[in-house]
Amino acid sequence: MARKPGTEVLIAAGREVTITNAAKLLFPAAKVTKLDVARYYLAVAEGALRGAGGRPNMLVRYPNGIDGEFFFQKRAPESRPDWIEVVELKFPSGRSAEELVPRDAAALAWMANLGCLELHPHPVRAEDLEHPDELRVDLDPVPGVKWPQVREVAGVARAVLEELGLIGWPKTSGKRGMHIYVRIEQRWSFDEVRRAALTLAREIERRAPKLATSKWWKEERHGVFVDYNQNAKDRTIASAYSVRPTPDATVSAPLDWTEVASCEPGDFTLATMPKRFKQLGDRHAGIDAKAGSLEPLLELFEKQGEGDAPWPPHYRKQADEPARVQPSKRKLPVIEIGRAKHKEDALAGLERWKKRHPEVAEHLEPADVLVDSMRGRSSTWTRIRVNLQHVPAKLRPAQEPLDPDEKTLSSS
């Protein structure tokens, strides 16, 4: 059969995988094509499958590259090869979906052909969907916080984990933050794993209160936020070797702890990672042999005596969860600027607001601008708010009509 114009056929795991529109630029600045992405995942397949293989994966698709629309797809495409494995997941919403489970390099190439730049696996194996084997520590710096502080907080996290008999495996997020994965025995529920992650976040904050926070509400955060809610059921984050939608095509790079103090996120890209992988192998190669127990963390939760913390908004209210009332609605002087489907449109509205209120803008600190990525069922939109806590009371402007105001967007 004649090959269609613009297609390339890759051989992976003994299978032929067709890459359509192979020359399509997905990263214009870095000049990375769809074929480049597919070949990248074949080059690092062993490591990428250690992170995402054998797990249900949510698809995050960029069919027209990082400058185009992207969307989330929980359900595996109905039109798929018979060798692509799926498993049915049940979500907190009550819905269910068959998600893709990559098992070999061919599956990774097939996903790349769909425009899946990132790998977003759930922290469970396909054989046991109710008991995670992975606790995920997500270190998310607030605006204005520099990379050295992220590295410092990672060191605190490592120390806490080691004292509790657990091993942390660090990696860059591929953007501004860092992830630390902890293999655990498959004995605990999602709620228990989340509780352990919350305990860890609070202990990190206790040891480094000026550097890190466990506060859920953005208005209350400072430094590096330790996002415990990434361990709630149905949450996924970019796994090891995942390509990120950045101009330079950075990737989430597994690290040895000896590398953390000197590494920079920009050191690891789609162009540089294959050589590193060939020379050093997978820095997380031993992770599956180091599963630990959550019992020490769960015991510490009881000793801390702080109870539960807020859950993400679309989860059902928990019995012992504190009130879900944003601090901005209770005490902090937060105003909303705008809502938009596209982040750049929302940020343009913020700039217009600053021009109207230059005497206010000069008092704002980086963390006072709250850029919220609001996730719907299949896409995201952006909300911009401003915390006026550092603005003298007499200068604080009142809430104005939103600019932009895309009224189809919900605030929930």
Side-chain angles (χ1 to χ4, degrees):
M1 182 182 295
R3 182 186 302 175
K4 291 183 178 180
T7 66
E8 294 283 345
V9 175
L10 300 178
I11 305 299
R15 306 183 191 279
E16 290 188 352
V17 181
T18 300
I19 308 298
T20 59
N21 298 316
K24 177 181 282 188
L25 275 179
L26 299 185
F27 294 82
K31 294 182 169 50
V32 172
T33 67
K34 187 198 285 192
L35 182 61
D36 293 330
V37 174
R39 285 176 170 163
Y40 163 79
Y41 276 118
L42 295 188
V44 299
E46 179 190 347
L49 288 168
R50 185 169 286 112
R55 305 175 182 276
N57 279 244
M58 180 177 67
L59 305 180
V60 187
R61 299 177 62 178
Y62 293 77
N64 295 306
I66 64 170
D67 294 334
E69 299 284 344
F70 73 96
F71 61 95
F72 301 96
Q73 183 175 339
K74 292 183 176 179
R75 290 168 175 79
E78 292 185 6
S79 177
R80 59 180 184 264
D82 57 10
W83 48 266
I84 288 289
E85 182 180 337
V86 297
V87 66
E88 185 178 40
L89 281 184
K90 291 182 170 56
F91 305 113
S93 64
R95 297 184 178 88
S96 62
E98 287 189 332
E99 291 202 7
L100 186 147
V101 179
R103 295 282 186 184
D104 57 23
L108 296 179
W110 186 81
M111 292 166 69
N113 185 56
L114 295 178
C116 295
L117 306 181
E118 303 177 290
L119 301 175
H120 271 258
H122 293 264
V124 291
R125 302 287 180 175
E127 293 78 17
D128 184 350
L129 299 175
E130 297 303 322
H131 298 92
D133 70 335
E134 195 165 78
L135 182 148
R136 297 171 173 178
V137 185
D138 182 7
L139 304 181
D140 184 11
V142 305
V145 169
K146 304 301 183 183
W147 178 247
Q149 188 166 332
V150 178
R151 295 188 299 207
E152 194 170 352
V153 174
V156 177
R158 180 191 185 189
V160 176
L161 289 168
E162 288 184 347
E163 288 177 22
L164 296 172
L166 295 168
I167 298 175
W169 301 80
K171 68 184 185 69
T172 65
S173 72
K175 291 187 176 179
R176 298 180 61 241
M178 186 175 288
H179 301 152
I180 303 172
Y181 282 7
V182 182
R183 279 290 188 272
I184 57 175
E185 299 162 2
Q186 290 176 282
R187 297 200 281 130
W188 293 276
S189 67
F190 274 94
D191 287 0
E192 289 170 318
V193 175
R194 176 189 172 276
R195 184 174 302 156
L198 171 60
T199 305
L200 177 64
R202 286 171 169 167
E203 180 62 16
I204 293 170
E205 180 179 32
R206 186 188 71 78
R207 297 190 185 196
K210 294 183 179 180
L211 300 177
T213 181
S214 63
K215 300 296 186 294
W216 171 248
W217 302 111
K218 281 191 175 183
E219 301 94 308
E220 295 183 322
R221 295 179 194 170
H222 68 276
V224 177
F225 172 48
V226 186
D227 190 353
Y228 59 90
N229 267 332
Q230 293 292 14
N231 293 273
K233 189 175 185 179
D234 194 24
R235 289 290 203 140
T236 63
I237 57 178
S239 65
Y241 301 97
S242 187
V243 183
R244 306 310 305 276
T246 63
D248 295 332
T250 51
V251 303
S252 181
L255 303 170
D256 184 84
W257 279 109
T258 60
E259 298 177 293
V260 170
S262 60
C263 74
E264 295 289 338
D267 293 342
F268 312 105
T269 69
L270 180 147
T272 65
M273 179 55 78
K275 181 179 179 180
R276 169 183 165 89
F277 189 84
K278 186 175 181 179
Q279 291 177 338
L280 301 177
D282 182 12
R283 288 301 204 183
H284 289 185
I287 190 171
D288 290 323
K290 303 293 185 179
S293 172
L294 288 184
E295 288 178 0
L297 271 172
L298 296 175
E299 290 172 2
L300 181 58
F301 176 84
E302 299 300 330
K303 293 178 182 177
Q304 289 175 338
E306 298 181 51
D308 203 356
W311 286 64
H314 61 285
Y315 286 73
R316 62 179 175 80
K317 186 74 167 60
Q318 306 296 307
D320 56 349
E321 180 185 0
R324 286 189 188 176
V325 181
Q326 291 177 242
S328 58
K329 296 180 180 179
R330 299 197 309 263
K331 56 185 178 181
L332 295 179
V334 175
I335 59 174
E336 187 172 354
I337 304 302
R339 304 177 192 175
K341 184 177 181 181
H342 300 290
K343 183 177 180 179
E344 58 269 25
D345 294 336
L347 291 173
L350 172 65
E351 292 306 310
R352 290 190 291 271
W353 181 88
K354 286 182 176 180
K355 287 182 179 180
R356 292 197 302 273
H357 303 284
E359 73 288 355
V360 176
E362 68 181 19
H363 290 282
L364 297 178
E365 298 184 3
D368 291 336
V369 177
L370 309 174
V371 182
D372 304 318
S373 180
M374 311 294 284
R375 183 165 155 184
R377 288 187 185 176
S378 62
S379 61
T380 61
W381 55 277
T382 298
R383 177 180 67 181
I384 304 285
R385 296 176 296 151
V386 171
N387 189 344
L388 302 173
Q389 61 183 337
H390 294 112
V391 178
K394 62 181 181 180
L395 294 181
R396 293 174 184 172
Q399 176 68 55
E400 299 174 353
L402 301 184
D403 172 27
D405 184 7
E406 300 192 7
K407 297 184 182 296
T408 58
L409 301 178
S410 168
S411 61
S412 61

